[in-house]
Amino acid sequence: MSDRPLPIVQLKHVRKQFGHHEVLRSVDVNFDQGRITALVGDNGAGKSTLIKIVCGVFSPDGGQVIFDGRPVRWHNPDEARRAGIETVYQDLALIDTLSVSRNFFLAKEPCRDGFPHLLDQRKMDDEALAAIRDLGIDLQDPSRPVGTLSGGQRKSIAIARSLYFKPKLLVLDEPTAALSIKESRIVNEHVQAVKEKGISVIYITHNLYPVFSIADRFVVLERGEVIVDVERTEVTPEMLIEAVVTGRRVAPADVARAQARPAESPDVY
Amino acid sequence: MSEPQPKIDHGLRLPWLGFAADYLGMAAALAALIAVFSLGTEHFFSATTFRTIANQIPSAILIATAMTYVLIIREIDLSVGSVLGWCSAVLGVAVARWQWPVPLALLAAAGAGFLCGLFNGLVTIRWRLPSFIVTLGMLEMARGAAHALTSSQTQYLGSAVEDIAGASIFGLSLPFLLAMAVVIAAQLVLSRTVFGRYMVAIGTNEEAVRLSGIDPRPVKLAVFTLTGFLVAAAAIIDTSRFQSANPNAGTGFELQAVAAAVIGGTSLMGGRGSVVSTFFGVLIIAVLNSGLAAVGARDETKRLVTGAVIVAAVIADHYRHRLARGE
């Protein structure tokens, strides 16, 4: 579509295999700037591998990754982070035994000047708390170990941490997995707040319902191939579920039927 | 969105209170042990007893400090005792047989420990092997090397190295004061530096650390290498104290170091531990051994009691942490 925003990430013929198992087979997809793109697929579809290539955990075996208009080849996640890609992984990448503020600054710790080069704990506490509250999360004590927080609080804090470093792209890997309906709703509100700040979002999930009401575009991955790449107005949740379950592409007739339905999709969880 | 909240008031935070609370239990256990032995025998509670204990434990403190670091990153080093024997053998042979100047011999001993630690770290990291197996191999290799180098004979050094352990300030040996300085520095590094936080993070969730963009390998390599270096320092201290290098020196030290760390609340599962608490663990074991000797306990009784104390400490720590988590 000609009125699509410029892509923040473009993948061109990206391939990846582990041993003899080909996990990604020539994937071509664009993720739009300033929008929420849901990357959907069943377990084993290749979603996590694709995202780990975008985030610098894996290198592709073939093809090209273009980020913010220039070809990139990350050697590690730190390079991707420095370029402006923050990721909230499914297992959160939070350290249970460390405090909220120390998790917040993990890998980017502020230190005091001079010798010995000690951590600036006060700065970490103040800035972590301010950023967390900025996202509307109620937290009193930033020195609390992350392991003592609820699943929803942990995900919210992981998102707040990602935002603090002013990313261009936020990647969320199954952000509502194992959360209650109420917690999922709160996390999705945070994701919408992220989009309103102009940050591009890739939202990975195998469960369509939590994401359907907030995503602008849907990409369905099936056995390492993109089988659906559509605007939200072009599909219904049922069509996407069918694509995920059967591996069948969305037909033009289905798109026309979806476009005829009311503009506002229901808030489905 | 929630209401704006007041900023945290750092003036109300009492870090020293938290610090004291962390170590109060350990200090109380130590005081109770001292009280029991002081009541049990009239000669125990004296400056001489405490000075003797303090001068006996510097090598144990250094090794237990290193072991705490290794356990925090969710690894283990079973070779510390044998590497101590190997470093001691290098020092002994260099001075007694090869007639090297003492500073050069000390450097050789330090280098021997450093290389063993580096080897343990490199092999564990490069081939992603369990450190339990790698250091078990080093345990045999280092002990074998110590025996080969010394032809299984104790090297007597006489007065050549006695100054190291002999020097004292206010009756406390230089090695003890040095060991105390290492404990303080190691605790500071653990709790107040980026390196220390990475150690805890790696021990808790290494994959999460990697995904955050941190390469855990240099941190792990540094910990193993530092361990080798601290073990070499312990070997120098013990060789100086006994004025001899025994190829069997350090036998069983690895388990004593693990015991001290565990008594101090260090988790064998990684991600949790404190050097100061380990120091208390070393003190508790040392007081227990001295106290039992003072009341005339036989060696088998000492081992029985020490073992029971280790198990009791782990059970107490389990409940302490459940309480802290509000379970």
Side-chain angles (χ1 to χ4, degrees):
Chain A
M1 277 168 61
S2 58
D3 56 347
R4 261 183 86 172
L6 288 171
I8 184 78
V9 179
Q10 287 175 277
L11 301 182
K12 291 183 174 176
H13 315 302
V14 166
R15 289 186 300 104
K16 182 72 185 174
Q17 64 183 64
F18 295 106
H20 295 297
H21 180 52
E22 198 168 23
V23 182
L24 297 177
R25 309 168 186 191
S26 194
V27 170
D28 284 285
V29 67
N30 290 357
F31 295 101
D32 298 341
Q33 230 163 41
R35 303 178 86 198
I36 300 172
T37 305
L39 179 60
V40 188
D42 211 347
N43 290 336
K47 308 183 296 287
S48 289
T49 303
L50 189 143
I51 251 28
K52 283 180 174 171
I53 287 173
V54 172
C55 304
V57 178
F58 297 144
S59 294
D61 294 332
Q64 198 176 35
V65 179
I66 297 170
F67 176 66
D68 206 16
R70 64 184 181 91
V72 291
R73 193 171 181 87
W74 315 125
H75 296 95
N76 55 57
D78 190 43
E79 286 182 8
R81 283 189 83 186
R82 276 189 272 134
I85 299 175
E86 287 288 337
T87 311
V88 177
Y89 289 98
Q90 190 173 357
D91 49 12
L92 288 177
L94 291 180
I95 309 294
D96 283 354
T97 50
L98 294 183
S99 68
V100 170
S101 60
R102 288 189 174 185
N103 263 288
F104 211 85
F105 288 95
L106 191 65
K108 291 187 176 179
E109 293 82 358
C111 288
R112 290 187 220 157
D113 294 332
F115 185 83
H117 208 48
L118 301 181
L119 290 165
D120 192 340
Q121 189 61 54
R122 181 167 296 200
K123 183 179 178 186
M124 290 201 292
D125 283 350
D126 282 345
E127 297 200 7
L129 199 61
I132 286 165
R133 287 178 177 168
D134 188 44
L135 203 61
I137 304 161
D138 183 25
L139 182 88
Q140 304 297 326
D141 183 7
S143 64
R144 223 174 127 179
V146 157
T148 63
L149 302 176
S150 73
Q153 282 176 311
R154 289 151 60 96
K155 300 225 173 177
S156 299
I157 283 164
I159 292 171
R161 175 179 76 165
S162 306
L163 290 187
Y164 176 81
F165 297 105
K166 301 195 177 4
K168 294 173 182 166
L169 172 66
L170 177 64
V171 180
L172 301 163
D173 189 5
E174 302 276 5
T176 55
L179 292 191
S180 67
I181 290 173
K182 190 179 167 194
E183 283 182 321
S184 296
R185 201 180 288 255
I186 292 169
V187 167
N188 278 352
E189 282 170 12
H190 295 332
V191 176
Q192 276 184 305
V194 171
K195 180 190 161 188
E196 281 159 22
K197 289 173 191 281
I199 298 166
S200 317
V201 177
I202 301 177
Y203 190 125
I204 301 142
T205 184
H206 69 279
N207 181 5
L208 261 167
Y209 287 109
V211 76
F212 195 80
S213 56
I214 61 165
D216 300 298
R217 197 170 175 88
F218 291 89
V219 173
V220 178
L221 209 58
E222 168 65 18
R223 296 185 185 198
E225 286 181 76
V226 173
I227 59 165
V228 176
D229 186 358
V230 291
E231 291 289 311
R232 187 176 59 173
T233 51
E234 296 172 334
V235 282
T236 61
E238 293 71 27
M239 286 160 60
L240 289 169
I241 289 168
E242 198 181 328
V244 170
V245 172
T246 63
R248 220 173 49 217
R249 291 165 196 273
V250 175
D254 296 333
V255 172
R257 207 167 52 241
Q259 282 173 329
R261 78 190 153 91
E264 279 305 307
S265 60
D267 184 11
V268 277
Y269 275 88
Chain B
M1 297 286 278
S2 63
E3 291 288 306
Q5 309 235 5
K7 291 188 89 176
I8 43 171
D9 182 357
H10 292 288
L12 291 175
R13 297 174 78 201
L14 297 171
W16 287 104
L17 203 65
F19 183 85
D22 279 349
Y23 304 120
L24 215 59
M26 302 290 297
L30 185 63
L33 266 183
I34 292 171
V36 166
F37 289 123
S38 299
L39 292 172
T41 169
E42 58 181 304
H43 302 299
F44 185 78
F45 195 81
S46 70
T48 312
T49 304
F50 296 129
R51 204 176 295 138
T52 306
I53 290 174
N55 292 342
Q56 279 173 350
I57 58 173
S59 58
I61 294 172
L62 293 181
I63 291 176
T65 297
M67 188 65 84
T68 304
Y69 269 21
V70 177
L71 292 176
I72 285 174
I73 62 165
R74 207 175 183 178
E75 301 287 353
I76 195 161
D77 188 343
L78 295 177
S79 69
V80 289
S82 295
V83 172
L84 185 141
W86 158 243
C87 295
S88 184
V90 168
L91 178 59
V93 168
V95 173
R97 196 187 299 168
W98 300 334
Q99 306 287 312
W100 284 12
V102 173
L104 191 63
L106 293 176
L107 209 63
F114 179 86
L115 288 177
C116 289
L118 189 67
F119 177 89
N120 283 338
L122 283 176
V123 174
T124 301
I125 294 162
R126 170 65 184 82
W127 285 282
R128 295 183 183 181
L129 298 174
S131 51
F132 186 93
I133 303 297
V134 175
T135 59
L136 190 64
M138 177 56 78
L139 178 148
E140 289 297 332
M141 287 191 290
R143 188 64 71 193
H147 277 270
L149 190 65
T150 57
S151 308
S152 297
Q153 290 178 337
T154 300
Q155 308 291 305
Y156 294 98
L157 309 180
S159 59
V161 292
E162 72 174 340
D163 287 350
I164 299 164
S168 67
I169 301 168
F170 303 122
L172 292 172
S173 68
L174 186 64
F176 179 74
L177 297 173
L178 193 80
M180 289 298 299
V182 168
V183 167
I184 293 166
Q187 181 63 42
L188 199 68
V189 167
L190 179 62
S191 58
R192 293 269 175 254
T193 68
V194 174
F195 181 80
R197 293 299 84 191
Y198 285 0
M199 280 168 52
V200 173
I202 289 166
T204 309
N205 190 344
E206 190 173 336
E207 180 62 13
V209 168
R210 202 173 288 120
L211 293 176
S212 295
I214 303 163
D215 186 352
R217 291 173 299 180
V219 176
K220 294 175 90 168
L221 186 63
V223 169
F224 277 109
T225 309
L226 181 72
T227 299
F229 186 75
L230 285 177
V231 169
I236 291 167
I237 288 168
D238 273 6
T239 309
S240 166
R241 192 155 69 90
F242 299 122
Q243 296 177 26
S244 64
N246 179 348
N248 285 319
T251 303
F253 271 29
E254 57 280 348
L255 296 182
Q256 282 182 26
V258 171
V262 166
I263 288 174
T266 298
S267 168
L268 293 179
M269 297 290 113
R272 184 161 63 84
S274 148
V275 178
V276 174
S277 292
T278 295
F279 171 66
F280 276 111
V282 174
L283 287 181
I284 285 172
I285 292 175
V287 167
L288 203 58
N289 279 324
S290 294
L292 288 169
V295 297
R298 290 148 56 121
D299 199 43
E300 52 268 35
T301 311
K302 284 201 281 186
R303 296 183 70 168
L304 204 76
V305 173
T306 308
V309 166
I310 293 168
V311 176
V314 178
I315 294 170
D317 187 59
H318 171 75
Y319 282 104
R320 192 170 72 88
H321 273 272
R322 282 186 63 169
L323 207 67
R325 290 199 302 265
E327 288 175 22

